[in-house]
Amino acid sequence: MSAVVLVLRNVRLIDGLGRSRERATLVVRGDRIAAVGDNRDISTPRGARVIDGRGWTVMPGLIDCHVHLCLGGEPDVVATIARDASALTVLKAAQFARRTLEAGFTTVRDLGFRDHSVFSLKRAIESGLTPGPRILAAGLAICMTGGHARFIGREADGPIAVMAAVREQLAAGADVIKVIASGGVLTPGTSPESAQFTPEELSAAVAEAARAGRRVAAHAHGASGIKNAVRAGVHSIEHATLMDEEAASLMKERDVFMVPTLSALATTAEHGSACGVPEHAVTKAKTMRARHEAAFKRAHRGGIPIALGTDAGTPFNDHGDNAQELERMVALGMSPMEALQAATAWAARLLGIDDAVGTIEAGKLADLVVVAGDPLKRIALLRDKEKIAGVMQAGQFVSGPLSK
C-alpha cells in the first residue's frame, strides 16, 4: 500500500533555518517531508489530500530541551514527590506529556525523573499507547551525596562511584546523562553559587557517557560550577544563571549550549511563598532573577549557542505552557526568528537529532506545527491553544482541528 500523501498549500513557512517563505507548499508522504517550496514550484501528487492553509504558518515541531515530567508545577514539588507513589507520578506524567504535545512540542528532553519509569512512559508513547512528545530521557540526575536534585537523583561520590551511577542510567535506557555541577533553587540547604561535584567527578561522568555515545547536560547556576562542567566536556549548561565573563568565554570557545530555562526562576519568583512555594526557593529565585536575565543577554550577544528549555514541572511552570519561554527570550532581546530557531534547529543540534527533526526539509520527519497568524509578528500566538490549528508528529496530525 502506498504512503498517504498530504499537501499543505498557500501557507507561510518558517523552516527552522532562519527563513520565512510566503505562499509556500509542503508535501508530506507517510512520515516524511517529501517536498517543500513555493506554490508555483511544487505540483500536487494525484490522490493527495490537499489543505488550503491560507492565513496559517507552518513551522517545525517545537523542542523543549529541559523538562521534568515527574513534576507537576505544584508550589512545593519536593513535597509532592515525597508524598506521591511512583505509579501515580507516572500517570500524571502521561497527562503532562499529552499537554506538551498539544502545545506544539513534539520532542522533549527529560533531565531528571524520580525513577526509571520515565523509560516506560517513553516506550508507551513510541508504541502509540498514549500520546506525547518524542522523549530523550536521562533517568535519574546524578548528584553528590546531599546535593541538589537528590529528590530526583542518584547520589554518588568520587569518580568511580560517579562512573557506576552513569552506567546505571545507561543500562536503564538513558539517552542523555544529567549531572549536577552546582547547588540549586528547589533543594533546601544548597546554594546555587556553590560548585557541586569535583572536576574529576564531572570528567568521569563525561568520559563514561562518551564511551556509550551519549551527551551530557550539566545543571549549573554558579560560575565555578559552570566552568568545572565545561572543562569536563559537557554539551550543555542548564540555567547558566550566574555566568561570568570567563565562563561565557569557555562556553563560546567549546561550543557548549546554554539552555536558559528563564521560565523556572520567573514563575517561582512571581508566585512566591504566598502561593505555597517554600521560602528558601522564593528567596533564591528573587535574588538571582535579574542576574539570570543578564546572563542570557550576555550569551545572546556573545554568540553562545542557545537552545530552548523551560524546566517545565517546577513551581507554576506548567507542562503545556512551554511556549512561555519563547516570549521571555524575545523580551530579553532575541528576535522571534532566533527564538524559534532555539526551539527547533538549534535544539535539535544540541540533542543530536538534527538529521531527523528541527527543520522543514525534504527527507526529514514530518514533525510540524500549524498556527493561525504569524508568530514572527506576535510570538505569543504559540501560547494560545486556540491558534494552533494542528500538531503533526511523524506525518500524522495528533492534535488540533486538523486532527479531526
Side-chain angles (χ1 to χ4, degrees), residues 21-108:
R21 173 182 289 159
E22 300 289 334
R23 294 179 294 281
T25 292
L26 177 67
V27 181
V28 175
R29 186 184 299 273
D31 65 352
R32 300 277 166 175
I33 297 168
V36 59
D38 295 332
N39 282 345
R40 63 179 179 274
D41 298 328
I42 304 294
S43 58
T44 300
R46 182 175 299 176
R49 176 192 175 193
V50 180
I51 297 174
D52 186 344
R54 204 177 307 269
W56 290 344
T57 298
V58 178
M59 67 189 72
L62 301 172
I63 300 171
D64 191 329
C65 296
H66 191 135
V67 305
H68 296 283
L69 289 167
C70 69
L71 307 180
E74 301 91 353
D76 189 343
V77 295
V78 179
T80 302
I81 282 287
R83 182 188 67 237
D84 286 353
S86 178
L88 179 57
T89 297
V90 176
L91 290 171
K92 288 181 177 181
Q95 183 182 63
F96 301 149
R98 179 172 192 152
R99 291 177 188 170
T100 302
L101 181 63
E102 290 172 349
F105 286 78
T106 54
T107 301
V108 299

Side-chain angles (χ1 to χ4, degrees), residues 1 9 23 90 92 122 127 188 206 240 270 273 334 343 357 400:
M1 182 180 295
R9 295 191 66 84
R23 294 179 294 281
V90 176
K92 288 181 177 181
K122 175 182 174 175
S127 68
V206 172
E270 288 165 1
S273 55
M334 266 192 171
V357 298

Side-chain angles (χ1 to χ4, degrees), residues 177-192:
I177 296 299
K178 167 78 171 293
V179 293
I180 304 299
S182 83
V185 173
L186 298 181
T187 308
T190 67
S191 168

Side-chain angles (χ1 to χ4, degrees), residues 233-255:
V234 305
H235 299 83
S236 66
I237 297 294
E238 311 299 309
H239 319 304
T241 310
L242 308 175
M243 178 178 63
D244 62 14
E245 289 187 15
E246 183 183 12
S249 178
L250 277 172
M251 290 177 69
K252 174 69 182 299
E253 174 188 327
R254 304 194 185 195
D255 199 33

Side-chain angles (χ1 to χ4, degrees), residues 181-372:
S182 83
V185 173
L186 298 181
T187 308
T190 67
S191 168
E193 300 254 13
S194 299
Q196 295 189 356
F197 273 149
T198 65
E200 294 77 18
E201 288 169 324
L202 292 168
S203 294
V206 172
E208 195 60 36
R211 277 189 279 273
R214 300 295 191 272
R215 301 185 179 202
V216 179
H219 160 102
H221 287 292
S224 58
I226 294 170
K227 286 178 274 194
N228 287 343
V230 172
R231 289 176 178 135
V234 305
H235 299 83
S236 66
I237 297 294
E238 311 299 309
H239 319 304
T241 310
L242 308 175
M243 178 178 63
D244 62 14
E245 289 187 15
E246 183 183 12
S249 178
L250 277 172
M251 290 177 69
K252 174 69 182 299
E253 174 188 327
R254 304 194 185 195
D255 199 33
V256 175
F257 272 81
M258 177 191 198
V259 181
T261 67
L262 296 165
S263 299
L265 280 189
T267 56
T268 296
E270 288 165 1
H271 286 83
S273 55
C275 296
V277 183
E279 186 61 44
H280 69 86
V282 175
T283 299
K284 286 185 273 190
K286 287 183 175 180
T287 300
M288 294 195 299
R289 185 177 179 183
R291 294 174 69 184
H292 193 195
E293 293 175 350
F296 175 84
K297 292 178 180 179
R298 170 181 280 164
H300 179 228
R301 289 194 307 266
I304 293 171
I306 295 173
L308 181 143
T310 59
D311 215 356
T314 53
F316 299 98
N317 186 8
D318 295 327
H319 300 283
D321 196 18
N322 310 63
Q324 65 174 305
E325 189 78 10
L326 292 166
E327 291 185 54
R328 297 185 194 280
M329 292 193 295
V330 169
L332 292 176
M334 266 192 171
S335 69
M337 182 66 85
E338 288 174 319
L340 290 174
Q341 286 184 277
T344 55
W346 301 346
R349 180 163 73 88
L350 168 60
L351 272 51
I353 56 174
D354 48 320
D355 60 335
V357 298
T359 58
I360 297 179
E361 299 176 272
K364 290 199 171 181
L365 283 172
D367 278 16
L368 306 170
V369 181
V370 183
V371 59

